[in-house]
Each structure stands twice: as C-alpha cells, then as structure tokens.
Amino acid sequence: MSTEARAMYNVGKAGLTFWSPTMNLLRDPRWGRTLETPGEDPYHIGKYASSYVSGLQQQDDEDRLKVAACCKHYTAYDVDNWKGVDRVKFNAIVTKQDMEDTFQPAFKSCVTEGNVASIMCSYNQVNGTPTCADKDLLSGVIRDQWRLNGYIVSDCDSVDVLFRDQHYTKSPEEAAAVTINAGLDLDCGIFFANHTFNAIQTGLVKEAEIDRAVTQNFIVLMRLGFFDGNPRKHKYGSLGPKDVCAPAHQELAREAARQGIVLLKNEENLLPLSAKSIKSVAVIGPQANVTHDMIGNYEGIPCSYITPLQGISEHVDTIYAKGCNHVLCAPINLQLDDAKKAAAQADITILIVGANRSVEEESRDRVSLLLPGQQGTLISEVANASKGPVVLIIMSAGGFDISFAKSNDKISSILWIGYPGQHGGAALADVIFGSYNPSGRLPITWYPESFSEHISMTDMRMRPDPSTNYPGRTYRFYTGTPIYPFGYGLSYTTFKYLVVKSPRRISIPLKDGNQCRSKHCRSIGAAGSYCNNLSFDVQIRVQNTGSRSGADSVLLYFTPPHVHNAPRKQLIGFEKIYLEPHEAKNVVFKVDVCKDLSIADEEGERKLAFGKHVFQIGNLRKYVILRPSIKQKVSSDWKPVNY
C-alpha cells in the first residue's frame, strides 16, 4: 500500500497522510464498522496495528516516513447508529478496568510498538467528556505516557460536534480552546480555522499551545519530505504508474484473501472438491457474482475483479441463479423456483450469501444477527431441493446466527470469506478446489440471535454480571454458547501439538519490606524491579498428522487465577507455520511475565496474580504457578498452592 501511495504521490494523484488503520476493538457484533476492524482481541489488534503502521510508514534511521499512518478512533468508540442512539451524542460509560485491559491496549501498541505518526480521537464521549477534549486521554496518556512522536487529530467535525450536538461548551471559541488545551493538534474540518483566533484574542488559548500544535503537524510533514523539493529526486522518486497494480501486488491481494478464508464446517471432508469428478456446480445467491461488494468501504480503485462465480467457473461448468436480487432479500425479490431448479440439476450446490454496505457500514449498525431478509429461507429451500451436497459461503464482516445451517445435514461445508477484495472469487475457488488449504481463524465471536434480543448495544460492560443475567462480551468474558467461537477455523489436514518446553513454577523475587513477603496476597503490581528480565519460553512442537500440506495458525491463550474478575482466557501469542504432510516444527513463544500475564484490577492497575496460570494451545493445556520468592519462613496466614 505504501509503495502504491508513493507512486501516486509522485504523479500528483495522492497525498501521504493516510488516516488508517481503524483498530477499534469489536465489542458488539452489531457494530456497522465491523468491516473496518481487525477483530475483538486486544492483543491481536495491537499486533495488527503496529504491523500495519510499520508497513505503511517504513520509518528509516533518520526518522523519515514513506507514508504517515493514523490509528483511529480513540477511544471506546463502537456505536454508530443503533435504535436512535448515534455516535455524536453517545456517552460511553466505561470502567477503569475495561478501559485498561480492553479499549486502550491496542492504541498503546500502535504508539509504543508501531511508532505511529498520528492518533485520531473519536466523536463519542467517555464518562461524560468528549474524547477530543479529554486532557487526561490526549496529553496525559497519548503524549506523556506513550510518548507519541506525531500529531493528534480529531475525527472529521468532532470539535463542531462537541459544541453543537453535545453542548459541551457554551461557545465555539470555548470548544476550540478546550480541545487545543487538551492536546489536539489538528481539526479535521474548518472549526479551528473559524474560531481559534477569537479564542486566542479572548485569552482562552495561549499562543504557546498553537505553537505546539503547529510544530507537531509540521514535524510530520518534514519527516515525509514535503519540504525537500521535487519528490522525484529523493528516496522513493523512482516509483510511478508501473508500481500501481503491479503483478506482485495483485497476487498479494489474492494471497491475503486466501489466508483470510475460514473453514467453519466440513462434514465427511466434502471439501476440497475435485473438478475432474464434477460435471456441474450450481452457484446460487445474491453475492455470487458481485464485484464492488467484495472490497468493503474506504476502498481504493481495484485493478480488476474476479467474482466468486467467475472463479468457480474457471474450474467447472456452472449453473447460475441469483436466488435474490439483493442481500436484503425482501420476499418480493426471492427467486426460489430458479434457484431450486439449478440446485436440483447440479452435482454440487454452492450458495453465496451474506451482507454488504446496505447491511453493515459506518452509521449503520445492525439490530439483528440473523441473515438479512429471506436469505435463511433461500438457503434451507435450496438445500432441501439440491441433488448433491451443499457448500455455504458467507460474505460479510460481522458474524451471523447460522445455527440452522450448521445443523443441516444437507449443508456439508461452510466457509466465511469476509469481504475478500478484488480477486476474492479466485481465492475462494483456490480453497474450494484444493489448490490452497484454508488456515484462517475467526477474529470475532459469532453470537446467537438471543444476544441481540437481550443485550443493549450501548451497555459498555465487558465482564458478565450473573445477578442480571448479563453474559459479558467477546470470547474473553462471554459466558453464553457461541455459534462459532473466536479463533475457530478448520483445515483440510490435521495438526497435533506437544509441549516441548514450559516451566512449572515462576518465582517473583520480592525485596525486603514488600508486604507480600509476610502475608497472603492474591496479586501484586505488575511493575517494579522484580519484572526486569522476568520471562520464559513456551515451546510447542506442531506436527501435520494428515495427508495434505497446509498452514496452521498456532494460538497461545492463558487463563489467569480467578482474581479481579479476570478474563476467562486471553490470547498472548500467535504464529502461522506451514507444514508438509507428517512434518513437524517447533514454535517458540517468549512470555514476558509482567506484560503478558498481567491483568487489570478494578481500579485499572496492572497486577500479577499469584497461583495457577493455565496455558491453552488447541485442546492442549499446561499450567505454570506464579508465587512470591520468600526466603524466610512463610507466615501462618499464607496458604500455598498444592503443586
């Protein structure tokens, strides 16, 4: 992306400040901007964001940037327009604990690991204060704690919103002043241009604050080389039209789509299909032959399209029927007869359904987790009429309650393909016909429809509350039974895990005078000299026990002791490895005790819990016990764990 951005910049077709990535955690499955987010896990999102930023910016030893990235939208933002509640008036009530372990970690990674050039504050309020006017969140956290090397920008017209819609200030000058004084450096809009001078004249803003904001902006421009003369004469000056839609870039788009496809069901190993043994395939559904729907929103101009129908037709003869004219699939648009006729003729039926931007996008949250309109009827009727087995393809960002399809014996296989990009149809065919073995895992939980029926989208609590039957949110806290869990994904082969190396006990060296040397402590602060170099390796041997080569996404979770209302489990590492049949390789995860095993307490402070920490890799579970290192005799009120 950064190469094509520079190429377009060099010929006057693009700028160099890209307000991307969107990296808000998906707290609620109904959020319209699900298609922009990487998922629901803070660790995973942090790694995604820092890698994304590093790839865009290509920062060199002189602190110069190829492109300036921006991590957005800061913070606790994930309600757009739900049952009359819109983002410009929404006040997110968030506990200190949830802020620390859910909403902030990925933004911290973006700054401290990715060294992003910009952070964008969001429209909403958090605990009564607009994020763009919150000095603690902007100057206190982003600038002072995380040491942002760049500028802070508002989401477009956010400053105007806090004045006109939220009525946070009495005058526009006060709105300009409160945001600039909070640490905002740039307004996306014209509000600062119209009202900042008067704010200075009336003494609401000091000129030094303006100097600060201008400096932060100009430094980023300097790092991008805006003042270095003709860009053709500098580092990326040779890039041009030949570097846009280059063959390698188009193949990368196809490979990204392949890796993102998730196999959810594969009864009797129906997939992959053998093109040689199939005479015809019925390709049915409103998303079977779409183009623009495949690339989501905030999209670039694609080099070309390969639709699912086109991709499948490259391998076998196809019979095509829409089934519905549109994903909304109103009863009047249901075309069952043609669809059932096609399914009754073909050896295999492939149904391609799901969503698009008329269902989920910015300013459009969902109110249901069921497939839109009559899509469920289309699937069931076609499956019943089909001559052969059925493959169901879901094209969407958010998950759906497809329990009816999961339990339908006629539907042998289910694939989720997200919005797979310009060559998504080719990538889908690669997976269906076996030239690529799927290795994707769900980045989100797929909830039952009952979740949307009983849980308000505006309830920001992450943790469950048994007293009110509140089930909690995301795999880290949800106590209900999901349709498909976070991290789920099948392969055409099988893998076996073996723990090669992992400690059983870790001693926390405490200094004299620490209260946990003399009395029982459930936890201790995850900071201090005892955290220095306190780490260990978890080494896993992964073997491909099947007959097909393939990649495995190895996910390392841990479950902490039951203190401070800790998560049920938490991802702390992942790595994808490729294995030939019967081949085995070792994967090593380095675990930083105070960083990776810490949890947030009720006051939002990081703590290390003493006791048994359980690691999970697939169905394999091992534990390590954290305990204080105590040289003297343990006091009578200390109750050690039985090892």
Side-chain angles (χ1 to χ4, degrees):
M1 286 189 285
S2 58
T3 295
E4 295 202 353
R6 272 284 175 175
M8 292 180 178
Y9 170 73
N10 288 343
V11 295
K13 298 295 184 182
L16 290 177
T17 53
F18 280 65
W19 286 347
S20 187
T22 296
M23 37 154 307
N24 296 96
L25 180 140
L26 185 65
R27 174 189 58 91
D28 191 288
R30 294 162 288 189
W31 191 29
R33 302 188 80 166
T34 301
L35 71 168
E36 300 177 47
T37 68
E40 69 178 40
D41 177 80
Y43 175 83
H44 168 238
I45 299 170
K47 292 299 181 185
Y48 167 92
S50 59
S51 298
Y52 192 120
V53 167
S54 298
L56 274 185
Q57 296 191 161
Q58 300 282 301
Q59 187 170 329
D60 62 18
D61 293 339
E62 296 180 344
D63 203 31
R64 291 179 177 269
L65 302 172
K66 189 177 181 183
V67 168
C70 174
C71 286
K72 61 182 187 180
H73 310 81
Y74 181 83
T75 181
Y77 163 61
D78 55 10
V79 173
D80 263 65
N81 188 358
W82 181 79
K83 294 186 177 182
V85 179
D86 66 68
R87 61 187 179 181
V88 301
K89 296 180 180 178
F90 180 57
N91 180 23
I93 304 301
V94 184
T95 67
K96 293 178 181 179
Q97 189 173 33
D98 287 343
M99 185 68 82
E100 170 60 29
D101 71 1
T102 296
F103 298 108
Q104 295 291 73
F107 283 101
K108 181 179 181 180
S109 296
C110 185
V111 176
T112 60
E113 297 176 21
N115 196 17
V116 73
S118 175
I119 291 286
M120 177 185 287
C121 52
S122 53
Y123 291 107
N124 58 292
Q125 297 184 1
V126 175
N127 299 327
T129 303
T131 61
C132 294
D134 193 319
K135 190 168 186 176
D136 289 337
L137 285 176
L138 302 190
S139 295
V141 175
I142 298 177
R143 188 71 66 189
D144 296 341
Q145 291 183 25
W146 298 344
R147 313 300 298 175
L148 173 69
N149 180 22
Y151 65 93
I152 302 173
V153 60
S154 72
D155 204 340
C156 294
D157 297 319
S158 286
V159 183
D160 185 60
V161 160
L162 70 87
F163 167 62
R164 296 186 188 278
D165 296 285
Q166 299 175 0
H167 307 294
Y168 187 71
T169 64
K170 294 180 180 179
S171 70
E173 290 78 17
E174 288 175 329
V178 73
T179 51
I180 293 171
N181 291 335
L184 191 64
D185 301 309
L186 181 64
D187 165 40
C188 173
I190 60 173
F191 199 87
F192 277 5
N194 290 340
H195 302 293
T196 302
F197 184 74
N198 285 342
I200 297 170
Q201 292 289 86
T202 55
L204 296 173
V205 180
K206 294 181 179 179
E207 202 167 315
E209 295 294 336
I210 306 301
D211 291 343
R212 178 218 77 220
V214 171
T215 299
Q216 300 295 355
N217 285 294
F218 269 73
I219 286 174
V220 172
L221 292 174
M222 291 174 183
R223 294 168 68 195
L224 287 166
F226 267 70
F227 308 108
D228 294 346
N230 186 349
R232 290 287 196 173
K233 297 181 180 180
H234 295 286
K235 185 173 182 179
Y236 302 108
S238 63
L239 298 175
K242 71 181 187 307
D243 301 294
V244 178
C245 289
H249 297 178
Q250 297 200 54
E251 175 55 31
L252 182 61
R254 184 166 174 167
E255 175 62 15
R258 291 187 195 108
Q259 290 198 30
I261 292 173
V262 182
L263 180 62
L264 298 175
K265 179 181 178 181
N266 199 28
E267 295 298 318
E268 299 183 4
N269 296 317
L270 173 67
L271 297 180
L273 301 178
S274 171
K276 294 180 179 179
S277 62
I278 298 172
K279 293 182 179 179
S280 64
V281 171
V283 181
I284 299 168
Q287 298 301 83
N289 201 32
V290 295
T291 53
H292 192 259
D293 283 359
M294 292 195 298
I295 60 176
N297 69 345
Y298 287 102
E299 70 279 18
I301 300 171
C303 310
S304 61
Y305 285 116
I306 299 176
T307 72
L309 177 62
Q310 291 171 333
I312 294 166
S313 298
E314 285 291 315
H315 295 264
V316 293
D317 292 334
T318 56
I319 308 167
Y320 171 53
K322 266 195 168 184
C324 278
N325 281 331
H326 192 272
V327 292
L328 296 179
C329 203
I332 195 172
N333 295 322
L334 191 59
Q335 302 168 1
L336 277 180
D337 290 343
D338 289 345
K340 291 164 69 174
K341 182 179 178 181
Q345 296 177 38
D347 297 330
I348 298 286
T349 295
I350 299 177
L351 274 160
I352 306 176
V353 300
N356 63 16
R357 287 165 58 181
S358 68
V359 176
E360 51 180 4
E361 70 167 346
E362 185 174 3
S363 298
R364 182 176 283 121
D365 297 329
R366 291 191 286 163
V367 295
S368 171
L369 298 179
L370 299 178
L371 286 164
Q374 299 297 306
Q375 286 191 36
T377 300
L378 173 67
I379 294 167
S380 297
E381 291 283 338
V382 168
N384 290 337
S386 64
K387 182 174 76 172
V390 176
V391 178
L392 177 62
I393 312 296
I394 308 292
M395 183 187 296
S396 71
F400 290 102
D401 183 343
I402 55 168
S403 50
F404 74 98
K406 183 179 178 182
S407 61
N408 189 326
D409 292 338
K410 290 294 295 285
I411 300 174
S412 299
S413 301
I414 303 175
L415 289 162
W416 178 66
I417 63 174
Y419 293 115
Q422 63 173 35
H423 288 169
L428 174 62
D430 291 340
V431 170
I432 288 175
F433 294 102
S435 62
Y436 188 89
N437 189 346
S439 60
R441 302 291 189 93
L442 286 180
I444 58 176
T445 300
W446 285 32
Y447 296 85
E449 172 64 359
S450 58
F451 184 93
S452 68
E453 293 171 344
H454 301 295
I455 305 303
S456 171
M457 192 172 173
T458 59
D459 190 331
M460 299 294 292
R461 292 176 297 164
M462 296 299 299
R463 287 159 166 81
D465 182 358
S467 67
T468 59
N469 294 319
Y470 183 72
R473 296 175 178 273
T474 76
Y475 82 95
R476 296 162 60 232
F477 300 105
Y478 181 57
T479 55
T481 302
I483 305 301
Y484 289 107
F486 171 90
Y488 185 80
L490 304 174
S491 170
Y492 294 155
T493 188
T494 53
F495 298 95
K496 180 181 179 181
Y497 300 127
L498 176 69
V499 176
V500 177
K501 178 184 178 183
S502 177
R504 292 289 298 274
R505 301 177 182 87
I506 297 292
S507 294
I508 311 298
L510 303 182
K511 290 183 177 180
D512 291 341
N514 190 297
Q515 63 177 359
C516 292
R517 289 178 62 91
S518 59
K519 69 175 185 177
H520 173 63
C521 292
R522 300 165 67 204
S523 63
I524 191 172
S529 59
Y530 49 79
C531 287
N532 297 337
N533 302 314
L534 190 61
S535 64
F536 61 88
D537 290 346
V538 175
Q539 186 171 330
I540 310 297
R541 189 160 185 81
V542 185
Q543 183 179 14
N544 182 347
T545 55
S547 58
R548 286 182 173 271
S549 59
D552 183 37
S553 300
V554 185
L555 309 181
L556 176 64
Y557 298 93
F558 96 102
T559 297
H562 299 298
V563 297
H564 301 306
N565 210 359
R568 294 158 61 87
K569 68 176 182 178
Q570 170 70 58
L571 185 70
I572 59 171
F574 58 90
E575 185 171 335
K576 182 173 283 191
I577 59 169
Y578 182 87
L579 296 171
E580 296 291 342
H582 310 297
E583 183 184 8
K585 291 180 181 177
N586 287 353
V587 176
V588 178
F589 295 101
K590 181 169 287 295
V591 178
D592 182 318
V593 172
C594 289
K595 180 180 179 181
D596 298 326
L597 302 187
S598 65
I599 57 177
D601 70 7
E602 292 78 1
E603 294 301 314
E605 300 294 330
R606 282 282 167 179
K607 296 292 179 66
L608 277 178
F610 291 126
K612 183 185 289 187
H613 294 249
V614 180
F615 293 103
Q616 177 183 338
I617 310 98
N619 292 324
L620 193 65
R621 285 172 172 77
K622 292 289 181 179
Y623 68 86
V624 60
I625 293 174
L626 264 62
R627 61 181 183 180
S629 177
I630 303 172
K631 295 181 180 179
Q632 70 242 38
K633 183 178 179 180
V634 178
S635 64
S636 59
D637 61 351
W638 173 263
K639 298 179 180 178
V641 177
N642 292 322
Y643 299 132

